[in-house]
Structure formats: structure tokens, C-alpha cells
Amino acid sequence: MRSKGRKESLSDSRDLDGSYDQLTGNAPGQTKKALKQRFLKLLPCCRPKSIPSLSESKAGQDGAGLICPSSPGFLADSVEDEFELSTVCHRPEGLEQLQEQTKFTRKELQVLYRGFKNECPSGIVNEENFKQIYSQFFPQGDSSTYATFLFNAFDTDHDGSVSFEDFVSGLSIILRGTIDDRLNWAFNLYDLNKDGCITKEEMLDIMKSIYDMMGKYTYPAMREEAPREHVENFFQKMDRNKDGVVTIEEFLESCQKDENIMRSMQLFDNVI
């Protein structure tokens, strides 16, 4: 993707969201100015808070009547000029390449991209934005800690952001991967420090975050000691050699022998 020219990358991202008219080469029914204004509205950071008054405008001028760089008018123009150069901060890989890398169809990728771009107009999402989006699904509890763990699992190159490629790659494993693929992904989620094994402390952090996410007002009410009891049950089942940690081999073997876990792995088969 890095070697692609700007025009080719732009064509790929338009192809993904279905906004590219292959006959004319333009976004259908929209001028260049209209497109710029539409995207500016999507980005709160590019929206001027208010139109400066006449006195503010004068205050932003120097003796020659020029607008100073610190004035609101200059900042708005600069943002628009910068926006003109790059409408989206990150452009995804081409549609064909994403089809090869994932198990989604062309149409599914287009639908996923539209949804992703609605939530993340810049093309990438950082940890704070990810937590805000995720919290909408669990308004009754505190999902911030679990969302951080989930974000780190999607952020495979550990650069502090999740791109559309990162998102669909993880989603492809969860929804369309083999049982082993899904179990490996789950192990990576639980292995918080990515050292190749799950400790009781890591599993306790995961369980506490899940209970926090579900909220205190569930029925039946969750007992305070429940997360620790869950961890003890997990290690009795998974820690085959009783050395205090669960390796990927132990995890895979134990999960594959558990009918309930195997059934839960198949729940996502027909989600999209």
C-alpha cells in the first residue's frame, strides 16, 4: 500500500465505500467543494466553533490589514487548505488485496468500510476513541478496561491505532476463521503482556474487566468474589502441568475438549 500513488490509493478507498463513479471518475452528484464541506462537517477538529465577530476579525489583523496566523479566520482557512491536501488521514489497502487477506466478500468489505468510516472519518481509531465507541454497547457498566484489552488485540503492530485493515483482519478471524484461528486470537487477547502464556493475574484482570462491563445491576447479582473463582476454575481446567501459567498448547488442547467452548466458537458463524 505504501508504494501506491495518491490517485491509486484514493481510487481504492472510493471503491471500498461505493462512492466512486467508474464512468465519470467523480463522486456522483457532488462537486469538489461540496465533498470538502461534507467531510469537514464529519471531523469535529476541523469545525470552527463559531464565526468570528467583526471586532474579532479586526483584532486578528495587523497594521496592513492582513490576517495574523493566530486569528480564527486564518486557522479555519489553514485547516481547509490542509484538508484539501488530504481528505482522509489514512487510506486503506485496495479492495482486491483486502479480499485476499480476509474471508470477506467485496460487498461485505464495502459495507464494513462504510460503517468504519462513519465512526472514524480519519480512517484510523486511537484507544480513547475506541473506548468511547465500545462504551455505547454497555451503557449499564464500565467497559473502558475491557475495551483497552480488545483494542490491543486489534492493534497487531502496536502503533497505538487501529486502521480499517487491522479491524477487518481481526474481525475476519473472529467471524470466519477456523476454530484454531479463533482460539489463537482469544489467547492473544488474554495474554496481556504478549509473552506467550496467561498468568492468573492477567486472567483476573480480564475477568474483572468483563464483570465491570456487565455492570453492578445484573440479575442475578454478581458476587464480589466471582471473578477470582472464575479464574481458579479456568486454571484447574487449563493448566495441565500445574506450573501456574497457561501456554497456547494447553489452551488449545483444553478448549478443543470442552463442548461448551466449541459451541460458543460457532456462535459468530453467520453474524454477517
Side-chain angles (χ1 to χ4, degrees):
M1 177 210 171
R2 304 291 182 265
S3 63
K4 289 186 179 181
R6 174 177 169 76
K7 289 183 179 179
E8 188 179 351
S9 297
L10 183 56
S11 175
D12 288 339
S13 63
R14 283 173 173 172
D15 193 21
L16 269 171
D17 67 6
S19 65
Y20 183 65
D21 187 336
Q22 295 183 357
L23 292 176
T24 64
N26 297 317
Q30 297 191 60
T31 64
K32 182 180 178 182
K33 185 176 180 181
L35 271 175
K36 183 171 70 174
Q37 290 173 344
R38 184 165 71 91
F39 278 107
L40 277 170
K41 288 179 181 178
L42 286 172
L43 295 173
C45 61
C46 297
R47 246 181 261 157
K49 291 183 180 178
S50 62
I51 299 173
S53 65
L54 183 61
S55 59
E56 287 175 327
S57 297
K58 287 181 178 178
Q61 296 179 351
D62 64 11
L66 299 175
I67 296 181
C68 298
S70 59
S71 70
F74 181 91
L75 290 174
D77 289 342
S78 297
V79 167
E80 245 189 338
D81 290 341
E82 187 177 345
F83 195 81
E84 179 77 36
L85 295 174
S86 178
T87 342
V88 180
C89 300
H90 175 84
R91 302 192 192 286
E93 299 285 355
L95 188 57
E96 289 74 18
Q97 189 169 346
L98 285 175
Q99 278 184 272
E100 293 175 2
Q101 293 171 352
T102 68
K103 296 185 178 181
F104 294 124
T105 66
R106 181 188 186 92
K107 184 64 178 176
E108 287 169 341
L109 285 168
Q110 288 178 328
V111 171
L112 288 169
Y113 184 60
R114 289 191 197 109
F116 186 88
K117 201 168 68 170
N118 282 339
E119 293 290 347
C120 319
S122 66
I124 57 174
V125 58
N126 60 28
E127 184 179 328
E128 286 307 309
N129 290 338
F130 188 89
K131 289 195 287 189
Q132 289 174 8
I133 295 169
Y134 202 73
S135 67
Q136 298 171 22
F137 299 98
F138 300 94
Q140 77 280 9
D142 179 5
S143 63
S144 58
T145 303
Y146 187 79
T148 294
F149 299 151
L150 199 59
F151 176 86
N152 291 334
F154 276 105
D155 181 20
T156 53
D157 52 5
H158 310 298
D159 64 351
S161 63
V162 171
S163 65
F164 180 66
E165 294 95 323
D166 296 330
F167 174 68
V168 292
S169 294
L171 205 60
S172 176
I173 293 172
I174 297 169
L175 302 182
R176 302 284 168 81
T178 65
I179 294 297
D180 277 2
D181 289 338
R182 298 179 194 189
L183 289 174
N184 272 286
W185 198 91
F187 182 89
N188 181 61
L189 171 64
Y190 301 151
D191 179 16
L192 299 181
N193 65 359
K194 314 306 177 193
D195 65 348
C197 60
I198 301 171
T199 64
K200 285 189 176 183
E201 290 75 16
E202 287 175 322
M203 200 62 203
L204 184 60
D205 287 342
I206 289 285
M207 291 311 306
K208 283 181 176 178
S209 72
I210 293 174
Y211 278 75
D212 287 344
M213 182 171 62
M214 300 310 294
K216 296 180 179 179
Y217 303 104
T218 58
Y219 182 83
M222 293 182 183
R223 294 174 295 108
E224 189 174 341
E225 62 273 16
R228 194 171 295 277
E229 289 176 0
H230 195 109
V231 171
E232 290 301 324
N233 291 335
F234 175 88
F235 269 78
Q236 283 181 6
K237 186 179 294 184
M238 303 277 181
D239 185 11
R240 299 281 176 165
N241 61 1
K242 308 301 179 187
D243 63 349
V245 297
V246 174
T247 63
I248 182 62
E249 293 80 14
E250 289 174 322
F251 184 78
L252 291 175
E253 182 182 352
S254 300
C255 288
Q256 288 166 350
K257 291 180 178 179
D258 190 305
E259 291 183 5
N260 291 328
I261 293 177
M262 287 297 96
R263 276 197 297 269
S264 70
M265 288 287 108
Q266 296 167 0
L267 290 176
F268 299 105
D269 285 349
N270 301 306
V271 170
I272 61 172

